[in-house]
Amino acid sequence: MRVLKYAILGLLDKGELSGYDIANQFKEGEIGQFWSAKHSQIYPELKKLTDEGLIQYQTVIQGSKLEKKIYSITPDGKQELHEWLTHFGPIPAVKDEFMLKAYFVSSMSPNEAKDLFRDQFNKRKEKLAFLEKRFDELQKKMTDPVARSPHFGHYLVLTRAMEREKGYIAWLEKALKWLEEVPES
Amino acid sequence: MRVLKYAILGLLDKGELSGYDIANQFKEGEIGQFWSAKHSQIYPELKKLTDEGLIQYQTVIQGSKLEKKIYSITPDGKQELHEWLTHFGPIPAVKDEFMLKAYFVSSMSPNEAKDLFRDQFNKRKEKLAFLEKRFDELQKKMTDPVARSPHFGHYLVLTRAMEREKGYIAWLEKALKWLEEVPES
DNA sequence: TCCCACATGTAATGGGTTACATGATTGA
DNA sequence: TCAATCATGTAACCCATTACATGTGGGA
């Protein structure tokens, strides 16, 4: 599927970036909750996309020697991005290691299961708190008609990420309640 | 992380299975919503786990010639499974191609975005209906103290899968509402 | 001066999918 | 007899992570 290709095209369609910048977008940036890649995957991909004529770069000197490549998207790149964006794909099978453990709950003792679920609950709560802090900051920057804001994309992924965590947390609470019904506490 | 290893150990801890059976569990079975693997990955892994002494098999003749390997978990296998189950791991970064497209919403026209979101909405609704049918069947087989049922693991993953889809659907509805606020319909 | 962030690349390895390959069994 | 399912394996390839490798810039 070469999704990284489209992730890079999409980022560059928002503005010019270096490979280092792209790596940071995935690491700490807005889209990090739903896609990421290490620099060791990004640099070869940038080279490939350049060879394919979908992006281009200009070398910029930082300070006195350090060379930096600033990439931008080409018309061909925009077209391929657009084709991917408007193509309807199937719902992919998402893997979740914690749910695999949950499925094997009967291979644990009730107390072990409770500990495992409580740990997951705490971690999800923490993550939600982090996302909510981000969301507060974002809301300050946004005015009313959400979909017209230049931050609409960020708004979409942040609201989705928060609700994903909320749903997980609500389910974990229910699961813990079911587990409490069994004694051996 | 070798998660497939533990997925196989966990399945075999529930009962003896052939490689073919394991492939089917992932394809159509109860855990398919949260983990899967193709037979081309399963057979080499079974061999490896056998070499490591974590599982064993007996050959059974099906019909008159067809050989089938029935695998079971060993005490060493049970111990490794238990260590994995009770170990607290970090929340992994889950990738979601649709959310990547959502982040790039400003690279689409409002109408294209609406079409994309409506398609996702329909597909998620369909998937939820499928899961709910499964859930109805499961509930018939279950009696009250949920956590004591031999189907508790199945119950956990099904309820989680349903709520995951419900959460996605609710967010898609909101996103579509935001998109409707922009004209060009 | 020393550390951290900036900046770019390659190599080795692991996990996973698609394709290649073969054969038996069962029921319509 | 024909098709679908049962049953097991290997090979080639792709995607992704970890580790290896190097050097500059800026601020304390």
Side-chain angles (χ1 to χ4, degrees):
Chain A
M1 306 290 146
R2 297 209 40 210
V3 181
L4 177 60
K5 162 181 165 175
Y6 300 106
I8 290 173
L9 290 177
L11 286 173
L12 293 181
D13 198 44
K14 284 176 183 275
E16 303 190 334
L17 294 167
S18 69
Y20 188 84
D21 295 332
I22 292 170
N24 274 339
Q25 296 267 324
F26 288 139
K27 200 167 58 192
E28 297 153 7
E30 306 176 346
I31 190 52
Q33 291 299 319
F34 294 106
W35 207 266
S36 67
K38 313 286 182 186
H39 77 273
S40 55
Q41 196 187 2
I42 292 164
Y43 289 117
E45 188 65 37
L46 285 170
K47 202 187 171 192
K48 203 172 175 189
L49 292 173
T50 306
D51 292 345
E52 292 170 343
L54 306 178
I55 62 175
Q56 56 190 23
Y57 68 88
Q58 35 174 343
T59 305
V60 169
I61 306 291
Q62 207 74 352
S64 66
K65 272 190 237 173
L66 184 60
E67 291 196 347
K68 184 158 81 153
K69 290 179 184 171
I70 303 291
Y71 289 89
S72 54
I73 192 167
T74 64
D76 280 5
K78 284 196 188 215
Q79 203 193 312
E80 284 220 27
L81 172 64
H82 186 259
E83 275 162 31
W84 171 72
L85 281 171
T86 54
H87 176 259
F88 301 159
I91 299 178
V94 175
K95 293 181 178 180
D96 184 328
E97 189 174 346
F98 180 81
M99 290 311 299
L100 190 61
K101 290 185 181 179
Y103 183 58
F104 299 140
V105 65
S106 57
S107 294
M108 279 178 275
S109 76
N111 277 342
E112 286 168 343
K114 281 174 210 168
D115 288 347
L116 182 68
F117 277 67
R118 269 190 217 111
D119 173 69
Q120 186 72 193
F121 178 79
N122 292 333
K123 282 176 178 156
R124 296 275 168 185
K125 275 258 173 181
E126 245 175 75
K127 189 170 172 185
L128 177 60
F130 164 79
L131 293 169
E132 280 171 339
K133 218 183 74 195
R134 286 242 162 147
F135 186 65
D136 287 346
E137 286 159 24
L138 176 61
Q139 274 197 317
K140 283 174 205 158
K141 290 192 290 186
M142 284 180 82
T143 43
D144 240 350
V146 183
R148 282 225 243 265
S149 163
H151 302 111
F152 185 37
H154 189 193
Y155 189 86
L156 283 172
V157 295
L158 246 188
T159 50
R160 178 73 202 106
M162 283 190 296
E163 285 179 29
R164 183 176 64 174
E165 295 311 317
K166 281 182 199 164
Y168 220 121
I169 288 164
W171 174 83
L172 284 164
E173 274 175 331
K174 268 197 276 183
L176 278 164
K177 209 189 64 195
W178 294 326
L179 282 166
E180 307 291 351
E181 285 167 20
V182 181
E184 196 220 6
S185 295
Chain B
M1 304 291 147
R2 294 203 50 204
V3 181
L4 177 59
K5 162 181 165 176
Y6 300 106
I8 290 173
L9 290 177
L11 287 174
L12 293 181
D13 199 44
K14 284 177 184 272
E16 303 189 335
L17 294 169
S18 68
Y20 188 83
D21 294 333
I22 292 170
N24 274 338
Q25 297 267 324
F26 288 138
K27 200 167 56 193
E28 298 154 6
E30 305 175 348
I31 190 53
Q33 291 299 319
F34 295 105
W35 208 266
S36 66
K38 313 286 182 186
H39 77 273
S40 55
Q41 196 186 2
I42 292 164
Y43 289 116
E45 188 66 38
L46 285 169
K47 202 188 171 192
K48 202 171 175 189
L49 292 172
T50 306
D51 292 345
E52 291 169 343
L54 306 179
I55 62 175
Q56 57 191 20
Y57 69 88
Q58 34 174 345
T59 304
V60 169
I61 305 291
Q62 206 74 351
S64 65
K65 275 189 231 169
L66 185 61
E67 290 196 349
K68 181 158 82 155
K69 290 178 183 171
I70 303 292
Y71 288 89
S72 54
I73 192 167
T74 65
D76 279 5
K78 283 195 188 217
Q79 203 193 310
E80 283 219 30
L81 172 63
H82 184 258
E83 275 162 31
W84 171 73
L85 280 170
T86 55
H87 176 260
F88 301 159
I91 299 178
V94 175
K95 293 179 177 181
D96 185 328
E97 189 174 343
F98 180 81
M99 290 310 300
L100 190 60
K101 289 185 183 180
Y103 183 56
F104 299 140
V105 66
S106 58
S107 294
M108 281 177 275
S109 77
N111 277 342
E112 287 167 343
K114 281 174 209 167
D115 287 346
L116 182 69
F117 278 67
R118 268 189 219 114
D119 173 70
Q120 186 74 192
F121 178 79
N122 292 334
K123 281 173 178 156
R124 296 274 168 187
K125 275 260 173 177
E126 245 176 74
K127 187 170 173 186
L128 177 59
F130 164 80
L131 293 169
E132 280 172 339
K133 217 183 75 193
R134 284 242 162 146
F135 185 65
D136 287 345
E137 286 159 23
L138 175 62
Q139 273 197 317
K140 283 176 203 154
K141 291 192 289 188
M142 284 181 83
T143 43
D144 241 351
V146 184
R148 281 226 242 266
S149 162
H151 302 110
F152 185 38
H154 189 193
Y155 189 87
L156 284 172
V157 295
L158 247 188
T159 50
R160 179 71 201 106
M162 282 189 298
E163 286 180 27
R164 182 175 63 175
E165 295 311 318
K166 281 182 201 165
Y168 221 121
I169 288 164
W171 173 83
L172 283 164
E173 274 175 332
K174 268 197 277 183
L176 277 164
K177 208 189 66 196
W178 293 327
L179 282 166
E180 307 292 351
E181 285 167 19
V182 181
E184 196 221 4
S185 295

